[in-house]
Amino acid sequence: MGGKKERTEGLGRALIKQQNRKAIEAKEKGRAIHLQNRKVLESYTEINEIDAIIDKSDEASLLLSGGAASDAGSSDLLISADDAGDMTAEERRQAQKEEEALHASNLKVPRRPPWNSNMSVEELDANEKQAFLEWRRKLARLEENDMLVLTPYEKNLDIWRQLWRVLERSDLIVMVVDARDPFFYRCPDLEEYALEIDEHKRTLLLVNKADLLPFNIRKKWAEYFHQHDILFIFWSAKAASAAIEGKTLIQEPESQESDLPGLDTRIYGRDELLTRLQAEAESVVAARERPSSSSSTTSEKRQVTVGFVGYPNVGKSSTINALVGAKRTGVTSTPGKTKHFQTLIISDELVLCDCPGLVFPSFSSSRHEMVACGVLPIDRMTQHREAVQVVANRVARRELERIYNIRLPNPKPYEPQNRPPTSYELLRAYCVSRGHVASSGLPDETRAARQMLKDYIDGKLPHFELPPGTDTSDTEGEDSGSGSDEEGEPEPSSGSLPDKRELEDLEEFDSGFKGSKVVKKRENKKEGSHKQHKKPQRKKDRSWRVGNDGGDGMPAIRVFQKPAVNFAAISANGSG
């Protein structure tokens, strides 16, 4: 009896251990997937050739397992459109615009596949990966077209998953854009995707850094948004944060008012923005519940959620901190600081949701423009002159000289006199004025480029874009940001010779730091340290050469003769 009882107890313990082991394995499997998703949550917009090959192999296996055809596609490497062939630059630009308008409907953000609560973690993960890879294949087909150039875009699925969650749980979507170029940071397809999730969702355009715009330019943008039925608010996170600390940065003109009635051109404060966001979100909730509401309505208010989305480095985290009134999210000039979406409770009726910055796919803007606008990290750029050229093309020449206290060389006589300065001229002039020298003794253009780009992003260099279809003649008195001066020095005739100043400029910039006191000082210091370790050299004895005696400079032969001996005198002395 004892043996039978022991065998029964041993079997029971074995079954319990097996069941516990299975539960632990399932728990560890789910935790591993969760940790894996968190570990790889790093934004990346470009991949090398090896990663492209690996992604294509994973893509082919997933598509084959899902029953889809695996046709050959191109890699996600950027295709340059610089080879114009037989077309001129203007013809190619026009053809590129036509191609972009034709394929604009194919440029979409990835959609989350349908799901329900009964799906397992593995099934949901596989469906999302397959839908994401199919979306990337569509963009790769667009890149095969030589007339289309796609900007770098977010290629990490986990970052897009954060966007999906924010869009699903938010009642009002706030798209934060930079006031200096709102359409560069706006994604119209994101607004359509929000309507696909819920037809009652609304998207509000929060035009941040509006204090960097002149009033008449802000008025033109307000008129354009009003005409095209775009919900917008002018806002400045920097000014709101300063107001919390008791400082005042914005000086609004009292006499300037809009011509259109009901046109809102003012820059909102913190309390005004919170009130407006809550009102817009409550209107969305009311519109959603109106069809299903019964005759007996309750006056209870429910909590509304406002989600913030947009490009990196447009001020989402700064806006959240200003609205909360404390530092709740990390803020830095490097894009991609926020890694996960964050939910912040403002009150019992309002909740804010911050989404990580996303680089949406778009046409026509180059990678250098995205670096200059702060979308891509400045510290990772490899071609600094191209990014600085974007700044030189947008900021007026006189503004660059005034802000940096430098003198740029005048255009050559055979060049257009209103052309913007080249990046070479701007970087060299900046390095000369600041004394930036690399270890090689040459101008440190990389350091100068990073500083200029940061000044451009922070607003130290004034620039802005006008609404589409706006006449530029109405903004003659403003610094529109173009590198050319509308009214400058008179253009010399093509046959005139360069004046003295032009010759000095050419000599100074072509020689590369010629006459720079910093370089001379460094060179002298370098020579002094070199002489300390240098062995003393013996001076050669050149006394055998003939001096300035009218000779031909050839070595002279010197003959030394002994004096003649007077033997007669010697013999006479001896005899005496």
Side-chain angles (χ1 to χ4, degrees):
M1 293 292 293
K4 183 176 181 181
K5 185 177 181 181
E6 291 178 357
R7 289 195 299 270
T8 305
E9 292 178 355
L11 179 61
R13 283 194 295 268
L15 292 175
I16 293 174
K17 288 182 180 180
Q18 183 180 5
Q19 185 177 0
N20 292 338
R21 186 167 58 252
K22 290 183 178 180
I24 293 174
E25 290 177 357
K27 186 177 181 180
E28 290 179 353
K29 187 176 182 180
R31 185 182 301 172
I33 295 177
H34 178 68
L35 293 177
Q36 181 183 3
N37 292 337
R38 290 182 63 88
K39 182 177 63 176
V40 299
L41 191 54
E42 181 179 356
S43 175
Y44 61 92
T45 56
E46 290 183 328
I47 58 176
N48 52 31
E49 297 180 0
I50 298 178
D51 293 335
I53 295 173
I54 295 175
D55 288 346
K56 287 188 66 62
S57 63
D58 296 340
E59 176 184 354
S61 60
L62 279 175
L63 293 177
L64 286 175
S65 62
S70 176
D71 55 333
S74 65
S75 64
D76 287 321
L77 301 178
L78 293 178
I79 297 178
S80 176
D82 295 335
D83 299 332
D86 299 334
M87 302 173 60
T88 62
E90 186 64 28
E91 293 175 351
R92 184 173 184 81
R93 193 178 300 110
Q94 184 64 26
Q96 184 177 358
K97 290 182 179 180
E98 295 177 357
E99 288 291 328
E100 290 176 359
L102 183 62
H103 297 87
S105 59
N106 298 328
L107 203 62
K108 296 180 176 294
V109 298
R111 265 62 168 172
R112 187 181 185 184
W115 64 280
N116 54 62
S117 58
N118 298 327
M119 288 184 176
S120 62
V121 178
E122 295 84 357
E123 184 180 1
L124 182 62
D125 182 72
N127 291 343
E128 290 180 350
K129 285 184 178 179
Q130 183 171 354
F132 182 72
L133 289 176
E134 291 177 355
W135 171 74
R136 287 189 60 180
R137 287 177 66 87
K138 293 180 181 178
L139 294 181
R141 294 190 186 97
L142 291 179
E143 291 180 345
E144 294 177 356
N145 191 339
D146 294 337
M147 300 302 299
L148 297 177
V149 179
L150 262 70
T151 60
Y153 58 91
E154 183 58 57
K155 297 179 176 63
N156 192 351
L157 171 60
D158 296 298
I159 301 294
W160 291 102
R161 283 171 172 164
Q162 306 294 315
L163 175 68
W164 294 341
R165 272 62 171 180
V166 171
L167 293 180
E168 290 174 356
R169 67 175 57 194
S170 300
D171 300 311
L172 176 68
I173 309 299
V174 177
M175 188 180 302
V176 185
V177 298
D178 196 316
R180 293 168 291 184
D181 193 359
F183 281 176
F184 177 82
Y185 301 93
R186 185 194 178 201
C187 182
D189 187 66
L190 188 64
E191 303 175 8
E192 297 181 4
Y193 183 34
L195 293 176
E196 293 176 6
I197 298 176
D198 185 0
E199 60 179 358
H200 300 288
K201 286 184 185 291
R202 301 188 65 184
T203 303
L204 184 142
L205 211 62
L206 187 63
V207 188
N208 191 25
K209 305 178 183 179
D211 55 330
L212 300 178
L213 291 183
F215 178 81
N216 61 335
I217 304 300
R218 194 165 74 237
K219 174 184 172 183
K220 291 182 179 298
W221 276 109
E223 293 174 356
Y224 182 86
F225 293 147
H226 182 76
Q227 293 173 0
H228 292 78
D229 197 19
I230 299 176
L231 191 64
F232 70 96
I233 291 178
F234 289 115
W235 161 257
S236 176
K238 184 178 180 180
S241 301
I244 295 176
E245 299 175 358
K247 303 176 183 179
T248 303
L249 297 182
I250 302 178
Q251 299 292 337
E252 283 290 337
E254 299 179 356
S255 60
Q256 292 177 331
E257 296 180 357
S258 174
D259 300 335
L260 297 177
L263 189 62
D264 197 358
T265 58
R266 73 180 187 277
I267 300 177
Y268 276 58
R270 173 181 176 271
D271 297 334
E272 293 176 327
L273 181 59
L274 287 174
T275 304
R276 177 73 181 276
L277 294 179
Q278 185 173 352
E280 294 291 344
E282 289 177 355
S283 64
V284 172
V285 174
R288 185 188 301 126
E289 296 178 350
R290 189 176 297 115
S292 60
S293 61
S294 58
S295 57
S296 58
T297 58
T298 60
S299 59
E300 296 181 358
K301 286 188 176 182
R302 55 157 296 187
Q303 196 176 52
V304 294
T305 304
V306 178
F308 287 79
V309 299
Y311 276 84
N313 206 17
V314 293
K316 295 189 306 300
S317 299
S318 301
T319 299
I320 293 291
N321 293 334
L323 295 179
V324 175
K327 186 175 181 180
R328 300 295 295 274
T329 59
V331 178
T332 178
S333 60
T334 302
K337 174 66 176 177
T338 306
K339 300 299 182 183
H340 300 270
F341 74 89
Q342 307 178 38
T343 302
L344 304 172
I345 300 176
I346 301 298
S347 63
D348 296 338
E349 292 84 17
L350 181 61
V351 175
L352 304 182
C353 193
D354 185 19
C355 177
L358 274 162
V359 181
F360 302 100
S362 60
F363 288 134
S364 71
S365 58
S366 63
R367 184 181 188 277
H368 314 302
E369 184 179 358
M370 301 182 77
V371 172
C373 294
V375 175
L376 300 181
I378 296 176
D379 296 332
R380 299 181 186 177
M381 67 176 178
T382 57
Q383 298 176 343
H384 57 273
R385 285 191 178 181
E386 288 77 2
V388 172
Q389 189 62 49
V390 176
V391 178
N393 293 338
R394 294 185 176 182
V395 183
R397 176 190 293 264
R398 60 180 179 273
E399 290 297 324
L400 292 172
E401 294 180 339
R402 179 184 63 84
I403 293 173
Y404 288 133
N405 194 18
I406 59 178
R407 193 190 69 178
L408 296 172
N410 294 330
K412 297 179 181 179
Y414 53 83
E415 295 178 340
Q417 296 302 300
N418 59 348
R419 70 163 177 83
T422 63
S423 59
Y424 174 82
E425 296 171 347
L426 181 57
L427 290 173
R428 283 301 176 94
Y430 185 88
C431 290
V432 169
S433 63
R434 302 302 190 272
H436 294 337
V437 185
S439 59
S440 60
L442 297 176
D444 194 352
E445 294 187 359
T446 304
R447 178 183 176 185
R450 290 176 179 174
Q451 185 60 46
M452 282 187 179
L453 291 174
K454 290 178 181 178
D455 293 342
Y456 180 82
I457 296 172
D458 295 338
K460 183 177 179 180
L461 298 176
H463 68 281
F464 53 82
E465 296 294 331
L466 297 175
T470 304
D471 187 8
T472 57
S473 61
D474 299 337
T475 61
E476 291 182 356
E478 303 293 341
D479 297 326
S480 60
S482 60
S484 60
D485 296 335
E486 297 174 2
E487 294 182 3
E489 302 176 358
E491 298 184 6
S493 59
S494 58
S496 61
L497 296 176
D499 57 6
K500 184 177 180 181
R501 180 184 175 185
E502 291 178 356
L503 292 176
E504 292 177 355
D505 293 337
L506 293 176
E507 291 178 359
E508 179 180 353
F509 283 86
D510 291 343
S511 61
F513 268 39
K514 182 177 180 181
S516 176
K517 296 182 180 179
V518 180
V519 177
K520 286 185 176 180
K521 183 178 180 180
R522 186 153 188 165
E523 288 178 354
N524 296 335
K525 185 177 179 181
K526 189 175 181 181
E527 289 178 0
S529 60
H530 178 66
K531 288 181 179 179
Q532 293 177 1
H533 301 281
K534 191 175 181 180
K535 293 182 179 180
Q537 295 182 356
R538 296 180 179 178
K539 294 184 178 180
K540 295 182 179 180
D541 185 12
R542 303 185 184 274
S543 60
W544 51 269
R545 289 186 179 274
V546 180
N548 190 12
D549 57 354
D552 57 354
M554 295 299 292
I557 300 177
R558 296 179 181 180
V559 181
F560 297 93
Q561 295 181 355
K562 293 182 179 180
V565 181
N566 191 355
F567 293 99
I570 295 174
S571 58
N573 292 335
S575 62

